[in-house]
Amino acid sequence: MDLILETNGIIKKYGNKTVLNNINMKIKRGDIYGFIGKNGAGKTTFMRVVLSLTRPTNGEVYFFGDKKIEDVGLKVGSLIESPGLDFSLSAYENLKRFSIIYGADDENIYELLKLVGLSNAKDKKVKNFSLGMKQRLGIAVALLGNPEFVLLDEPINGLDPEGIKEIRDMILKLNKEKNITFLISSHLLDELSKVVTRYGIINNGVLIEEIDAKELEDKCKNKVVFECDNQKKAIDIIKKTVPEEDIEIKKDKIEITSHLKEASKINKDLVKGGILVNAFYPNKDSLEEYFMKRIGG
Amino acid sequence: MKRLLRLQIRNLFHSKMFYFYLIFNSIMVVVGYFLSNIMTELGGTTTKVFQSIINLMSSEPDFIGQIFIIVFVCSEFHSGTIKNIIGRGYTRFQLLLSKYVVATIGVLCTNILYVIISFILYGKYGIGFETNMIYSIIICLIAIVVLTIFYSTIAFVLEKNLIGILTIIFLPRVIDLSFLAIYNFFKVELDSYWITGILPKFLDNPTLGNMIQPIILFIIYLIIIVFVGNRIIWRKEIK
């Protein structure tokens, strides 16, 4: 297995508070790894540990098999929290400055400015940039020098819907064409689900699950939703066919997660019982719902 | 490391503070020249080229020089660009080392300027070269390097410009005063062993034989500063 990142038993404590607790993560080459968790779950701290911006209390981080960041840092790009830019310089000057230490040339700079849609603003001072433009430039810095592995912490923060789509398409393109591996954290789960090939779910500093996107799709429960009046009576009727633990009430909807093939019969029973069924249709748990269930929300 | 040095050299020559430092000190040298002329007319002794060079070098890094070092060393912290350096596999110590080298180059640039200006302004009074002046210049150069590394390390550790400036400006002076108090009370002379006191003590009697003690002391300070500095910054959180 061609591992791009492997962490063994990462623990990070601030005083008595354990922020990361025994994180063992493996990211394979070509993955787009979605790192999801609530605010304060430890996503950013973990990424900072990976990049050596903060030292772990315990544990090891390896890149490309058995190498340390000091050996392969130029192959690793990142955008962590805010983009680290010199606001007094232009977009081009910022990239030029970093290109010295990343070993990139002017061709790479212009290619990236085009990729993130800042070609026309290359000579504009960053202090005059919008939040979204700064974020785009931060992504360009992360991609400078053609890294093989890129860590993006909330990369679509501050972007408008069009910008979000552009960044999403860019990630997919870079992954497909250049085989760049990504580790992306975001709280916009539906957006993340459009690009991610593997997920890691972190809660209170513990990596509670790592799962492939396809596996997750299978795990997301199939269900049938009934929208009807007199919910109390409707539930009594449904209970005759479906066990109580497989029935869930969400506002004006009743969801069943077993006996799905008998949905038409249940509908018939409801109508017979004098219930007005406005609609019934098949559905699936969204990533958000699965995530909420896993973290016990 | 080469790339980091290239970046820092680029930063140095793009730094407004560096040019302010050079211009301000040049003006101060010219002002000092006119004042010394007045003193000469009032019966004081004439300053010749080499004496002027030693006088100027022995004051480096001066107040503006200290601020230049802090601003230069802290520039990456201030803008937040440091995470784009450390996150790409450069170690904190490599970054600090590149700051040492280039900040020292910056301070030495001022000294080159001092030499040029001294020759222009004081040349008419004669060169005034004596052998022991070479010893003074050598110890001045060592002192400049060690003090620049000392101030750079404090700035890197404290990171915040204001705290760094206050610490670098006041800490050595507070220690000087403490040693003075110790001398007054206990008659124990410690200030000549303190990093900022070594050079003035040597310049009182700059002979070849007297060079050994300051050189050894500066080497000891250098080892302590680099070792302790590296230990502290190794765990430093990069924001």
Side-chain angles (χ1 to χ4, degrees):
Chain A
M1 189 163 52
D2 190 6
L3 285 180
I4 289 283
L5 176 74
E6 182 176 9
T7 69
N8 296 331
I10 296 292
I11 295 171
K12 178 70 186 175
K13 290 181 181 179
Y14 288 107
N16 292 327
K17 196 180 174 199
T18 304
V19 182
L20 298 174
N21 196 353
N22 196 28
I23 304 262
N24 298 299
M25 182 186 279
K26 284 188 172 78
I27 300 181
K28 287 178 285 179
R29 188 179 290 277
D31 271 350
I32 300 179
Y33 191 104
F35 198 29
I36 55 181
K38 288 190 289 191
N39 283 343
K43 301 187 294 291
T44 302
T45 305
F46 176 76
M47 287 179 150
R48 289 171 51 77
V49 167
V50 166
L51 290 167
S52 182
L53 299 177
T54 186
R55 304 283 185 191
T57 309
N58 207 354
E60 299 287 340
V61 180
Y62 296 106
F63 293 86
F64 308 105
D66 57 353
K67 296 186 176 69
K68 296 279 183 184
I69 184 115
E70 291 83 4
D71 307 319
V72 292
L74 292 177
K75 292 182 185 174
V76 181
S78 60
L79 168 60
I80 305 294
E81 295 170 310
S82 58
L85 303 167
D86 188 332
F87 286 12
S88 65
L89 301 177
S90 69
Y92 172 79
E93 286 166 339
N94 264 287
L95 289 170
K96 182 74 189 168
R97 195 166 173 270
F98 289 119
S99 74
I100 295 171
I101 45 171
Y102 296 178
D105 54 17
D106 261 18
E107 195 186 329
N108 192 204
I109 292 174
Y110 287 116
E111 181 196 1
L112 287 170
L113 283 167
K114 193 178 166 194
L115 189 72
V116 298
L118 290 175
S119 290
N120 293 331
K122 72 179 172 65
D123 296 322
K124 194 175 170 181
K125 291 257 191 288
V126 174
K127 64 183 171 194
N128 299 321
F129 274 22
S130 67
L131 185 63
M133 288 167 86
K134 284 176 192 157
Q135 199 72 359
R136 284 162 189 257
L137 186 56
I139 292 172
V141 172
L143 295 170
L144 195 61
N146 298 313
E148 292 175 31
F149 178 41
V150 177
L151 295 92
L152 301 174
D153 184 22
E154 303 282 357
I156 49 182
N157 266 5
L159 296 179
D160 53 24
E162 195 188 347
I164 291 174
K165 188 182 177 307
E166 281 171 16
I167 297 299
R168 194 174 69 212
D169 293 345
M170 187 190 76
I171 290 169
L172 286 169
K173 189 180 168 197
L174 290 168
N175 176 255
K176 199 176 171 189
E177 291 178 6
K178 296 193 174 178
N179 201 26
I180 296 178
T181 307
F182 286 91
L183 168 59
I184 306 169
S185 81
S186 178
H187 62 274
L188 300 172
L189 301 184
D190 280 340
E191 274 307 321
L192 207 59
S193 68
K194 289 172 186 161
V195 294
V196 161
T197 58
R198 188 167 169 77
Y199 291 95
I201 302 174
I202 187 170
N203 190 33
N204 293 329
V206 179
L207 187 65
I208 53 175
E209 186 172 8
E210 280 187 300
I211 183 169
D212 281 333
K214 278 191 175 176
E215 204 182 327
L216 177 65
E217 203 176 318
D218 295 341
K219 267 195 175 181
C220 281
K221 282 182 184 169
N222 285 316
K223 58 193 175 188
V224 170
V225 183
F226 291 92
E227 290 181 21
C228 50
D229 69 351
N230 200 347
Q231 275 197 347
K232 203 177 168 202
K233 194 177 171 191
I235 288 165
D236 288 339
I237 293 169
I238 295 171
K239 270 186 198 168
K240 287 174 189 167
T241 312
V242 182
E244 197 173 347
E245 61 269 22
D246 293 338
I247 303 171
E248 207 171 316
I249 302 154
K250 283 186 180 166
K251 288 184 182 170
D252 55 344
K253 293 172 185 167
I254 301 168
E255 295 178 354
I256 58 167
T257 52
S258 67
H259 298 76
L260 303 184
K261 285 181 180 169
E262 292 171 68
S264 297
K265 182 191 162 287
I266 295 168
N267 179 47
K268 201 173 164 186
D269 292 345
L270 287 169
V271 175
K272 263 189 190 171
I275 305 289
L276 176 65
V277 180
N278 295 318
F280 81 103
Y281 48 86
N283 206 346
K284 264 191 151 190
D285 266 352
S286 65
L287 169 60
E288 196 168 8
E289 285 165 318
Y290 181 81
F291 168 68
M292 291 306 287
K293 280 177 190 164
R294 287 298 284 125
I295 64 166
Chain B
M1 189 64 199
K2 265 188 198 168
R3 286 174 176 166
L4 260 183
L5 279 172
R6 272 182 59 205
L7 175 73
Q8 296 307 336
I9 288 169
R10 187 178 190 272
N11 287 351
L12 176 71
F13 291 108
H14 279 77
S15 159
K16 285 177 190 153
M17 185 62 214
F18 174 59
Y19 293 106
F20 175 74
Y21 170 45
L22 290 184
I23 292 166
F24 181 86
N25 277 358
S26 304
I27 293 169
M28 293 313 288
V29 176
V30 175
V31 170
Y33 165 74
F34 286 115
L35 287 176
S36 83
N37 273 356
I38 293 168
M39 296 300 283
T40 306
E41 281 170 19
L42 291 171
T45 52
T46 310
T47 307
K48 294 177 181 172
V49 174
F50 267 85
Q51 191 53 52
S52 158
I53 291 170
I54 291 166
N55 290 347
L56 293 167
M57 282 180 85
S58 62
S59 68
E60 281 298 323
D62 62 359
F63 177 71
I64 299 294
Q66 291 169 359
I67 295 176
F68 153 70
I69 291 168
I70 296 160
V71 171
F72 179 72
V73 170
C74 291
S75 59
E76 266 92 15
F77 290 106
H78 193 62
S79 61
T81 50
I82 188 168
K83 63 185 172 192
N84 289 334
I85 299 173
I86 303 297
R88 286 275 182 144
Y90 292 99
T91 64
R92 291 154 177 76
F93 186 65
Q94 281 176 325
L95 180 59
L96 180 58
L97 207 59
S98 69
K99 294 282 186 188
Y100 284 160
V101 174
V102 180
T104 305
I105 291 172
V107 176
L108 289 177
C109 281
T110 315
N111 290 274
I112 293 168
L113 210 66
Y114 287 158
V115 173
I116 296 167
I117 296 174
S118 293
F119 269 96
I120 294 169
L121 296 179
Y122 296 95
K124 63 183 174 188
Y125 300 122
I127 301 295
F129 177 73
E130 291 167 28
T131 315
N132 63 358
M133 286 178 167
I134 283 291
Y135 312 141
S136 298
I137 289 172
I138 290 169
I139 299 297
C140 278
L141 285 172
I142 295 172
I144 286 167
V145 172
V146 176
L147 284 169
T148 304
I149 288 173
F150 175 58
Y151 296 138
S152 298
T153 308
I154 295 177
F156 201 93
V157 168
L158 295 175
E159 166 188 337
K160 296 277 184 284
N161 285 3
L162 184 64
I163 299 170
I165 288 169
L166 293 176
T167 306
I168 288 172
I169 289 168
F170 291 111
L171 180 72
R173 285 156 183 83
V174 169
I175 292 172
D176 283 345
L177 285 174
S178 309
F179 286 148
L180 188 66
I182 289 169
Y183 180 75
N184 284 337
F185 282 107
F186 305 107
K187 301 292 169 205
V188 179
E189 198 180 320
L190 291 173
D191 63 328
S192 56
Y193 298 99
W194 172 233
I195 192 163
T196 57
I198 299 168
L199 179 63
K201 173 79 177 174
F202 173 77
L203 291 178
D204 286 345
N205 189 15
T207 63
L208 183 63
N210 284 349
M211 284 175 81
I212 297 165
Q213 185 183 327
I215 288 174
I216 290 172
L217 285 173
F218 278 130
I219 290 172
I220 292 170
Y221 270 111
L222 193 66
I223 292 168
I224 293 170
I225 293 161
V226 174
F227 179 76
V228 175
N230 189 30
R231 292 285 294 181
I232 295 172
I233 64 168
W234 190 85
R235 290 207 77 85
K236 191 173 178 60
E237 293 270 332
I238 304 296
K239 303 245 167 61

